[in-house]
């Protein structure tokens, strides 16, 4: 995989055994064509952003190396989501599995289907905490260093903690 792209994928779930959803999805990322899971963050628990009448989320970030171009990778991620029973219901509602391309190499992409780096990245503790665990010194194209983005999060933003039950597999 000489010309493989280094990509960070955000994972989130708050339904149907979220930890299992995330750990299985990481294995499935590793099995995508021309793709290898290099590292995965710990699992983090957080209150839902958006409507509060839903369970807490478990979030994580995977670092992968892939020969897939951005849109074929998006198709592949949506295939994994669908296989996990993901149905798109209400906006910002609960979900069994959400997979987002956070960062694709040093590229800035803006198509009808895809905006990369992910626009929510600089403001979302549930993305920045696991990303900073893997790559604090990484520069998010157009945004700055991950560690600086994390430091800039609103003081009132909750400090996420590693999900204590997460290691029991
Ligand atoms: N809230 C948290 N904490 N984590 C998520 O992954 C997440 N994903 C979403 C919404 C419903 C917006 N809220 C979230 O899609």
């Amino acid at each position: 995989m000489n010309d493989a792209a280094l990509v960070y994928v955000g994972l989130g779930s708050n339904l149907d055994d979220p930890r299992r959803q995330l750990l299985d999805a990481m294995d499935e990322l590793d099995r995508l064509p021309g793709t290898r899971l290099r590292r995965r963050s710990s699992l983090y628990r957080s209150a839902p952003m958006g409507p509060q009448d839903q369970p807490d989320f478990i979030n994580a970030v995977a670092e992968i190396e892939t020969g897939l171009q951005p849109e074929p990778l998006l198709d592949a991620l949506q295939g994994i989501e669908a296989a996990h029973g993901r149905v798109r219901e209400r906006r910002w509602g609960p979900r069994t599995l959400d997979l987002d391309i956070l960062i694709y190499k040093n590229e800035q992409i803006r198509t009808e289907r895809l905006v990369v780096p992910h626009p929510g990245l600089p403001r979302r503790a549930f993305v920045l905490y696991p990303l900073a665990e893997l790559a604090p010194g990484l520069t998010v194209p157009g945004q700055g260093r991950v560690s600086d983005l994390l430091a800039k999060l609103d003081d009132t933003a909750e400090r996420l903690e590693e999900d204590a039950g997460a290691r029991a597999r």
Side-chain angles (χ1 to χ4, degrees):
M1 282 198 277
N2 270 334
D3 52 359
L6 188 64
V7 178
Y8 292 88
V9 175
L11 301 90
S13 170
N14 71 342
L15 288 180
D16 298 346
D17 194 352
R19 291 173 195 135
R20 171 64 46 201
Q21 299 287 346
L22 264 51
L23 293 171
D24 287 350
M26 304 247 198
D27 290 344
E28 288 153 20
L29 288 174
D30 193 49
R31 292 200 295 269
L32 291 178
T35 302
R36 180 166 78 86
L37 175 70
R38 285 169 47 117
R39 293 187 299 155
R40 58 191 194 191
S41 74
S42 309
L43 307 186
Y44 291 79
R45 169 187 293 275
S46 61
M49 183 189 82
Q52 297 296 298
D53 61 336
Q54 56 179 324
D56 280 355
F57 274 81
I58 303 293
N59 288 100
V61 169
E63 181 186 86
I64 65 173
E65 213 170 58
T66 185
L68 295 173
Q69 292 298 306
E71 297 223 346
L73 176 61
L74 177 63
D75 292 334
L77 298 186
Q78 290 181 347
I80 294 175
E81 288 178 346
H84 283 245
R86 164 81 184 266
V87 281
R88 289 173 183 272
E89 285 169 5
R90 73 178 154 118
R91 182 171 145 81
W92 287 21
R95 61 255 345 259
T96 47
L97 183 64
D98 200 9
L99 298 177
D100 291 322
I101 301 175
L102 301 174
I103 295 173
Y104 188 100
K105 295 202 287 197
N106 54 357
E107 294 187 12
Q108 292 183 269
I109 303 166
R110 189 169 274 277
T111 69
E112 239 162 63
R113 296 183 61 207
L114 197 56
V115 182
V116 177
H118 192 283
L121 190 155
R123 296 183 314 273
R124 295 186 178 172
F126 63 81
V127 174
L128 284 174
Y129 272 81
L131 184 58
E133 184 189 340
L134 294 182
L138 180 75
T139 295
V140 183
Q143 301 282 357
R145 277 168 54 105
V146 169
S147 57
D148 292 339
L149 295 172
L150 187 58
K152 268 191 280 188
L153 273 189
D154 193 338
D155 274 349
T156 62
E158 78 196 287
R159 300 279 159 234
L160 297 196
E161 288 181 16
E162 210 179 311
D163 179 46
R167 298 249 171 225
R169 195 185 181 184

